[in-house]
Amino acid sequence: MAELAALEDPRIRAVNEKHGDDHGVNLGKLRALAKRVKTQQELARELWATGDTAARLLATLICRPKVFERDELDAMLREARTPKVHDWLVNYVVKKSPHAEALRLAWSADPDPVVASAGWTLTAERVAKRPGGLDLDGLLDVIEAELKGAPDRLQWAMNSCLAQIGIEHAGHRARAVAIGERLEVLKDYPTPPGCTSPFAPAWIAEMVRRQAGRPAPV
């Protein structure tokens, strides 16, 4: 904790707080610290228990994802107060857990939109990597009905799932693009030059172009 406190930079904190993240630690330095500490499950649990955002980020980097029980991961997600802790917990820990599928199903149906967003993030992962057994038409039905009015975090995760369906599954691509075009979610999202827009039709088109090895449009 003393080392994390020494890494605190007020300028980084000011930037992070605009995105809801209450820490001022450079993430590159945080990863370097994790590399030095190496995997330590009990230390990870102790760091998480502090409630400190930087400590919890470090915990996600040094823990053993497969060791956590399902109920423990569920509690941790509900305790993850900030977007960065939530994202790292889902992507670095839950995705590697044997409980990922059970949690995906439970969280997707949760009334808390932040918890539900974790379920949709896991669903997008399955769409891209392990789609067997998924009802893609059913997912598109839900997205079509609920995406437009979903709270921000949930909307982002559902939109990512929509894009992954369009990118990875040619038979559903036209419908995914049509849903994105009709709902116009994130159409005007500010996207830096050289980055891919999160607007699903543009995102799908760009990733399909890359997969095909075609040159970018001028």
Side-chain angles (χ1 to χ4, degrees):
M1 294 302 294
E3 285 197 56
L4 288 172
L7 292 175
E8 177 77 17
D9 184 328
R11 294 168 298 179
I12 293 176
R13 176 176 285 271
V15 172
N16 286 337
E17 285 181 342
K18 293 179 182 178
H19 304 286
D21 291 311
D22 57 349
H23 77 91
V25 178
N26 175 282
L27 296 182
K29 292 181 180 179
L30 187 74
R31 291 180 188 278
L33 176 58
K35 188 174 182 180
R36 178 163 57 80
V37 171
K38 298 184 169 58
T39 302
Q40 294 193 48
Q41 179 67 9
E42 291 311 310
L43 177 58
R45 283 195 167 105
E46 291 172 10
L47 288 168
W48 186 273
T50 67
D52 178 80
T53 292
R56 285 184 164 180
L57 291 174
L58 180 60
T60 67
L61 297 176
I62 67 169
C63 70
R64 296 185 185 277
K66 294 181 180 180
V67 173
F68 291 106
E69 298 294 334
R70 171 182 165 169
D71 289 348
E72 189 175 11
L73 290 172
D74 181 73
M76 290 169 72
L77 184 84
R78 295 174 192 277
E79 294 167 1
R81 299 173 297 103
T82 65
K84 185 65 74 177
V85 171
H86 175 104
D87 290 345
W88 281 26
L89 178 65
V90 172
N91 286 291
Y92 298 159
V93 184
V94 179
K95 284 182 179 180
K96 300 175 183 177
S97 164
H99 307 294
E101 179 61 12
L103 290 170
R104 180 186 77 83
L105 294 170
W107 288 343
S108 295
D110 199 278
D112 182 332
V114 175
V115 174
S117 74
W120 279 93
T121 297
L122 294 173
T123 299
E125 170 92 349
R126 267 207 64 188
V127 165
K129 296 184 178 179
R130 299 179 305 280
L134 288 178
D135 177 4
L136 298 181
D137 279 318
L139 289 174
L140 289 173
D141 288 343
V142 175
I143 292 169
E144 188 167 23
E146 301 179 11
L147 178 63
K148 187 80 171 179
D152 288 350
R153 299 271 292 278
L154 178 55
Q155 185 182 71
W156 188 273
M158 292 179 76
N159 183 74
S160 296
C161 189
L162 173 64
Q164 288 302 325
I165 292 173
I167 292 164
E168 302 293 342
H169 301 278
H172 298 272
R173 186 169 298 148
R175 185 182 176 199
V177 170
I179 290 171
E181 288 177 342
R182 183 170 66 79
L183 298 182
E184 297 187 335
V185 168
L186 300 175
K187 184 175 182 178
D188 298 322
Y189 191 85
T191 305
C195 295
T196 303
S197 169
F199 177 49
W203 186 355
I204 293 167
E206 174 59 17
M207 296 311 294
V208 170
R209 180 194 67 76
R210 291 185 192 179
Q211 290 171 358
R214 294 191 296 267
V218 178

